[in-house]
Amino acid sequence: MASGGDLDAVTQQVEQVTLPEGEQKPSKNALKKAAKNEKRASDKENKLASTSKAEATKATSKPVKKNAKIEGAALIGVGVDKEIDFAGWYQQVLTKGDLIDYYDVAGCYILKPDSYSIWEQVQRWFDDRIKKMGVRNCYFPMFVSSKVLEREKDHIEGFAPEVAWVTKAGKTDLEEPIAIRPTSETVMYPYYAKWLRSHRDLPLRLNQWNSVVRWEFKHPMPFLRTREFLWQEGHTAHLTKASASEEVLQILELYAGVYEQLLAVPVMRGTKTEKEKFAGGLYTTTVEGYIPTTGRGIQGATSHCLGQNFSKMFDITVEDPATKEGEKKPPLHVWQNSWGLSTRVIGVMIMIHGDNKGLVLPPRVASVQTVIVAVGINAKTTDEDRAKLYSSINGLAETLREQNVRVHVDDRDSYSPGWKFNDWEMRGVPLRLEVGPGEIKGNFVTIARRDTGEKDKMPIPDLAKNLLELLDTIQSDLYNKANASFTSHTKVITDWKEFVPELNNKNVILIPHCLTEKCEDEVKELSARKLEGDDTPDDARAPSMGAKSLCIPFKQPEGLVKGETKCTNPNCKNLAEAWCLFGRSY
């Protein structure tokens, strides 16, 4: 139970919330009620320690970095400056924005409705498009025997430290430990060998929407680094390399579409180096993003050509279609692909668009695109006038729903409009409509953009049409802003002396590179931050590190001459093979 002093402090903060012009402050009783509700929510957040002793306590009690606290911030809002304490900001945005809750198993999180609905939007968009390609959804069990898992040595070595094992059933030890899938190549491919016989069975294109477990021992980070996460994983088999390679790029372009068209996040398309490619695969293509606040790259999604490695391991073959009658030819091993996109997309979107007021959601994925808040209600407002106002508001909401706008009417009577404004800004709703007696009389609404804070008046007769256009404008403005940042922070250099300074200026860097693993390791070592004399702010959840290769971009800058241009690493004597993007990364 909150003490009287605590409630008084909360009430003072609630009273300080900005009210619309001309509106009277709510009564003391209303303020007390709002304060109690806010204190109850605050107490609930502080009790996270009782449900997750290890992680939730660490997250909620983590001290704010020096000078990171935002003075005068509303109690319900973000209290940490994004530019100064990015990790603290991210944790507050996720919890106060009502996207996640902490679970009692460290590294696992509850996706609340507002975050899961974003994943649903991604699912629908991507699922519709892969089905047009002939991909069908299926589901395989989450368990895999150790015998099967270990059949592909190179593949399992890449995941071995992260594999979780079931060793008991009740109090009885299992005869053989059972792994929980970290990915499903070894789960699915024994059955591809069983099902595929004729070249007419190809291509086989299957996808599953599921969760996987990777028991990472690094610091967990919601959406980016978790022990269980949701994703889709596609696994396909083809007769020829050309068919497989074509699909790899088709899928990669869909992944780019998820980021650019839905999430308003720019990405760079490219190929991973041999060092960074998928274990056991032939080659890996990727879409890479950029987080401006930390200056780090982040892998968005990957589409792999597995070649024939897995089909040879699991004996996935079909008869040669060129075989003539009476002729005997050895069967052909199929060409395979795998590709995956996870709930990481949500974390990338939040990091790029969010600000010190909270979430900023692109309209195409926001569960609520427009919220309507009643204003101008005060102690003199009669019940009849209040009812009339809400009748008009509900009519506006219904008109918008008919145009497929996801709209919510905030009719909570225990909070002031100013409090509601802060609440919905925290949740990142793209548009807020303010409707009061003055608006109804003037036949307009007051509209506020979450991304820019701009306010304007919009005539009610043209509301649906204009609002849809404004949502599209917000979507494109968010993308353009993020793209300008990514472009300006991508530096093309050929002199190693510029590499580390540009890296420390929160840039990702394109350099001529020989693409050898040894050289990549050297670049990482040479560019690692030295503790002495380097006071560059760093993201506490992604410790200082050297630059790693992010991708070999499909769109190559000019200036590299094969057989002439040297690798940028000063210790390397090789010639450069391609421009390669390097950066600190998550």
Side-chain angles (χ1 to χ4, degrees):
M1 193 73 176
S3 68
D6 289 338
L7 280 178
D8 288 343
V10 175
T11 303
Q12 289 175 7
Q13 291 227 27
V14 173
E15 285 178 319
Q16 291 170 5
V17 172
T18 304
L19 295 175
E21 187 177 349
E23 184 176 329
Q24 294 184 10
K25 287 189 176 181
S27 67
K28 287 288 185 182
N29 286 339
L31 282 173
K32 286 287 186 183
K33 186 175 181 181
K36 283 182 180 180
N37 288 336
E38 182 53 38
K39 187 65 172 67
R40 192 179 297 119
S42 179
D43 288 343
K44 184 178 179 182
E45 187 175 330
N46 290 335
K47 287 180 181 178
L48 285 171
S50 65
T51 59
S52 177
K53 293 180 180 179
E55 187 180 359
T57 303
K58 184 178 179 181
T60 56
S61 63
K62 178 182 176 292
V64 174
K65 282 187 178 181
K66 186 179 180 181
N67 300 325
K69 186 175 181 180
I70 300 175
E71 297 300 330
L75 186 66
I76 63 171
V78 177
V80 179
D81 192 302
K82 180 182 181 183
E83 295 295 329
I84 299 174
D85 186 357
F86 184 67
W89 171 87
Y90 185 64
Q91 182 270 324
Q92 285 198 19
V93 163
L94 294 181
T95 53
K96 292 190 174 186
D98 208 30
L99 294 185
I100 69 160
D101 206 342
Y102 288 87
Y103 195 56
D104 64 353
V105 176
C108 298
Y109 305 91
I110 299 165
L111 301 191
K112 300 183 80 172
D114 280 352
S115 60
Y116 195 80
S117 68
I118 296 171
W119 182 236
E120 287 180 313
Q121 293 289 341
V122 172
Q123 280 184 304
R124 281 192 285 268
W125 190 93
F126 186 76
D127 203 60
D128 286 347
R129 284 157 178 78
I130 60 173
K131 282 178 178 174
K132 290 177 181 177
M133 292 173 56
V135 178
R136 294 182 295 167
N137 286 327
C138 63
Y139 186 82
F140 280 72
M142 71 169 65
F143 300 115
V144 53
S145 69
S146 57
K147 290 179 183 178
V148 171
L149 191 65
E150 292 166 1
R151 280 180 69 176
E152 213 300 300
K153 186 177 178 182
D154 289 341
H155 174 69
I156 190 55
E157 280 183 355
F159 288 104
E162 303 173 347
V163 176
W165 295 90
V166 179
T167 58
K168 284 182 176 290
K171 294 183 178 180
T172 305
D173 290 337
L174 298 180
E175 290 184 11
E176 178 188 356
I178 302 293
I180 301 176
R181 62 175 171 227
T183 181
S184 295
E185 280 79 6
T186 55
V187 177
M188 300 171 72
Y189 295 168
Y191 297 90
Y192 280 37
K194 177 181 177 181
W195 298 339
L196 292 174
R197 288 289 177 266
S198 168
H199 67 274
R200 295 179 181 86
D201 298 329
L202 299 174
L204 175 63
R205 305 178 197 257
L206 299 181
N207 175 69
Q208 53 178 346
W209 296 93
N210 58 12
S211 70
V212 291
V213 173
R214 296 180 185 175
W215 212 257
E216 296 195 76
F217 293 96
K218 300 174 184 177
H219 295 294
M221 193 172 190
F223 297 118
L224 265 63
R225 208 163 39 239
T226 62
R227 285 178 168 162
E228 181 191 18
F229 57 87
L230 300 176
W231 76 342
Q232 60 71 216
E233 51 176 325
H235 296 271
T236 63
H238 304 259
L239 183 62
T240 65
K241 181 181 180 181
S243 173
S245 295
E246 180 183 17
E247 183 195 78
V248 165
L249 295 181
Q250 287 177 322
I251 293 297
L252 191 74
E253 198 55 36
L254 290 182
Y255 288 157
V258 167
Y259 278 100
E260 295 176 344
Q261 297 178 40
L262 290 187
L263 305 174
V265 169
V267 291
M268 185 178 290
R269 300 151 177 82
T271 306
K272 289 289 188 181
T273 63
E274 284 295 304
K275 175 181 170 61
E276 296 294 332
K277 75 176 184 180
F278 183 67
L282 181 62
Y283 64 88
T284 292
T285 63
T286 181
V287 288
E288 299 287 325
Y290 169 75
I291 309 300
T293 309
T294 60
R296 295 180 183 275
I298 188 162
Q299 180 178 289
T302 47
S303 180
H304 317 284
C305 180
L306 303 179
Q308 295 175 305
N309 187 29
F310 285 90
S311 65
K312 290 176 180 177
M313 184 63 62
F314 290 93
D315 197 27
I316 308 172
T317 62
V318 296
E319 92 288 355
D320 189 338
T323 303
K324 297 177 181 178
E325 188 174 349
E327 184 181 12
K328 272 200 169 184
K329 280 190 175 183
L332 300 177
H333 288 94
V334 300
W335 291 80
Q336 291 179 269
N337 295 334
S338 69
W339 26 271
L341 175 90
S342 77
T343 41
R344 164 175 284 219
V345 300
I346 300 173
V348 175
M349 174 199 70
I350 292 165
M351 288 179 162
I352 290 175
H353 298 311
D355 61 23
N356 284 341
K357 290 185 177 181
L359 300 168
V360 178
L361 299 180
R364 289 177 189 165
V365 294
S367 61
V368 176
Q369 296 172 313
T370 302
V371 62
I372 306 179
V373 178
V375 297
I377 297 175
N378 53 47
K380 296 180 181 179
T381 304
T382 66
D383 290 343
E384 182 181 0
D385 288 340
R386 183 190 297 265
K388 285 181 179 179
L389 177 60
Y390 272 104
S391 176
S392 297
I393 287 174
N394 289 325
L396 291 174
E398 194 56 39
T399 298
L400 294 175
R401 290 189 186 106
E402 289 173 359
Q403 298 299 316
N404 296 318
V405 177
R406 296 186 289 276
V407 62
H408 174 75
V409 176
D410 189 342
D411 56 5
R412 295 175 291 178
D413 59 6
S414 58
Y415 297 103
S416 71
W419 193 96
K420 293 177 184 179
F421 294 172
N422 284 318
D423 185 37
W424 290 109
E425 284 179 350
M426 166 65 67
R427 293 168 179 263
V429 173
L431 285 175
R432 181 181 75 241
L433 303 188
E434 301 167 19
V435 182
E439 278 82 1
I440 297 300
K441 184 177 179 180
N443 206 25
F444 68 90
V445 299
T446 301
I447 194 161
R449 287 177 57 161
R450 172 62 184 89
D451 61 324
T452 63
E454 295 172 357
K455 295 181 74 170
D456 202 357
K457 294 178 180 179
M458 189 173 285
I460 288 177
D462 302 324
L463 180 61
K465 175 179 176 293
N466 291 343
L467 189 138
L468 286 169
E469 291 176 355
L470 184 53
L471 288 172
D472 284 341
T473 297
I474 292 171
Q475 183 81 26
S476 61
D477 285 354
L478 285 172
Y479 176 83
N480 291 337
K481 179 182 177 182
N483 190 48
S485 178
F486 194 176
T487 301
S488 66
H489 284 277
T490 303
K491 303 299 182 182
V492 179
I493 70 171
T494 56
D495 186 348
W496 177 259
K497 292 178 182 178
E498 300 176 36
F499 190 93
V500 175
E502 291 291 4
L503 197 64
N504 289 343
N505 284 332
K506 298 184 178 181
N507 296 310
V508 289
I509 303 166
L510 281 165
I511 60 170
H513 193 256
C514 65
L515 307 182
T516 64
E517 185 170 336
K518 179 184 177 182
C519 188
E520 280 189 55
D521 291 337
E522 281 192 349
V523 169
K524 187 173 184 179
E525 176 63 27
L526 289 170
S527 60
R529 280 195 184 131
K530 304 298 186 285
L531 294 179
E532 295 180 4
D534 188 346
D535 58 356
T536 307
D538 194 18
D539 174 17
R541 288 198 184 275
S544 296
M545 61 183 72
K548 62 180 283 189
S549 69
L550 304 177
C551 73
I552 306 164
F554 292 157
K555 291 185 178 179
Q556 290 274 299
E558 295 180 354
L560 189 152
V561 180
K562 284 283 189 76
E564 293 183 16
T565 304
K566 294 181 179 179
C567 180
T568 308
N569 175 5
N571 297 333
C572 181
K573 305 302 180 184
N574 297 326
L575 295 174
E577 292 293 326
W579 290 94
C580 187
L581 185 71
F582 280 81
R584 295 189 172 109
S585 70
Y586 286 93

